Amino acid sequence: AQKVTQAQTEISVVEKEDVTLDCVYETRDTTYYLFWYKQPPSGELVFLIRRNSFDEQNEISGRYSWNFQKSTSSFNFTITASQVVDSAVYFCALSERDRDDKIIFGKGTRLHILP
Amino acid sequence: NAGVTQTPKFRILKIGQSMTLQCTQDMNHNYMYWYRQDPGMGLKLIYYSVGAGITDKGEVPNGYNVSRSTTEDFPLRLELAAPSQTSVYFCASSHIRTDPFNEKLFFGSGTQLSVL
């Protein structure tokens, strides 16, 4: 069965520090998609990235980077030089395209960036 | 372009009452989803739909019903509200399979529901 585990419930770092949010997933499919979403204090959910199972290239977007490793079933998210505006709940999600069309979310990691 | 619109934003129900959470999208998305978010529990999938006339259960469907008579609308029905259904509800839609390079969820702004 598909499952997403975000073991870090809450993280606090001081501004300008780097921080990595962990995501471990379980799936029986060979074709699947992984996502990260951000939920700032205002409550809306903001898409950050989508990665398919055939593309293991790491991705960098400004201060954000993602490390996808199929060997460890992980899709970790790093924020470099964190800023207070990065404070939010971050969700990792998984969908198994070959099996059904559900998108399953992890429990989220609440990130506090302290000034 | 409104995206995904949810109504109402807030609602208080008494135990046993019923209500419908409305969700509509104007992006011609085939796929629509209902999630509930409980504190510390992330997002749990209630029901989803891959197109008009087709719905399927998610992780936590008990106590809810859905219908998808049109591409645009995906209402969520609570028949006998219970305190356990106090949560924030999010509707989402996606182009999945019709636009494989743009597979992401577009979320509504959420409905905060309290059952007392």
Side-chain angles (χ1 to χ4, degrees), chain A residues 34-40 44-51 59 64 66 91, chain B residues 101-107:
Chain A
L34 296 162
F35 306 80
W36 276 95
Y37 284 83
K38 174 182 179 180
Q39 186 178 40
E44 74 274 21
L45 285 145
V46 179
F47 169 82
L48 295 178
I49 190 173
R50 164 192 172 273
R51 174 68 67 213
E59 180 154 342
Y64 294 171
W66 290 269
F91 292 98
Chain B
F101 298 103
N102 191 30
E103 290 188 27
K104 65 180 182 181
L105 289 174
F106 292 78
F107 281 90

Side-chain angles (χ1 to χ4, degrees), chain A residues 33 35 37 39 43-45 47 50 89 91 95-108, chain B residues 31 33 35 37 40-43 45 48 50 57-59 90 96-97 100-105 107 109:
Chain A
Y33 298 88
F35 306 80
Y37 284 83
Q39 186 178 40
E44 74 274 21
L45 285 145
F47 169 82
R50 164 192 172 273
V89 181
F91 292 98
S95 70
E96 295 172 326
R97 280 296 165 264
D98 289 345
R99 191 169 304 277
D100 55 38
D101 298 289
K102 296 187 290 187
I103 300 178
I104 300 299
F105 284 77
K107 293 185 178 182
Chain B
Y31 290 64
Y33 302 80
Y35 290 90
Q37 183 179 23
M41 297 300 292
L43 293 161
L45 181 63
Y48 66 106
V50 301
K57 296 178 180 178
E59 302 170 90
F90 286 97
I96 296 173
R97 297 210 181 185
F101 298 103
N102 191 30
E103 290 188 27
K104 65 180 182 181
L105 289 174
F107 281 90
S109 57

Side-chain angles (χ1 to χ4, degrees), chain A residues 44-78:
Chain A
E44 74 274 21
L45 285 145
V46 179
F47 169 82
L48 295 178
I49 190 173
R50 164 192 172 273
R51 174 68 67 213
N52 73 55
S53 52
F54 299 110
D55 182 2
E56 287 193 73
Q57 271 193 329
N58 292 328
E59 180 154 342
I60 298 175
S61 176
R63 295 184 297 104
Y64 294 171
S65 62
W66 290 269
N67 183 358
F68 177 29
Q69 292 198 347
K70 289 178 75 171
S71 59
T72 55
S73 297
S74 64
F75 186 45
N76 296 337
F77 172 33
T78 297

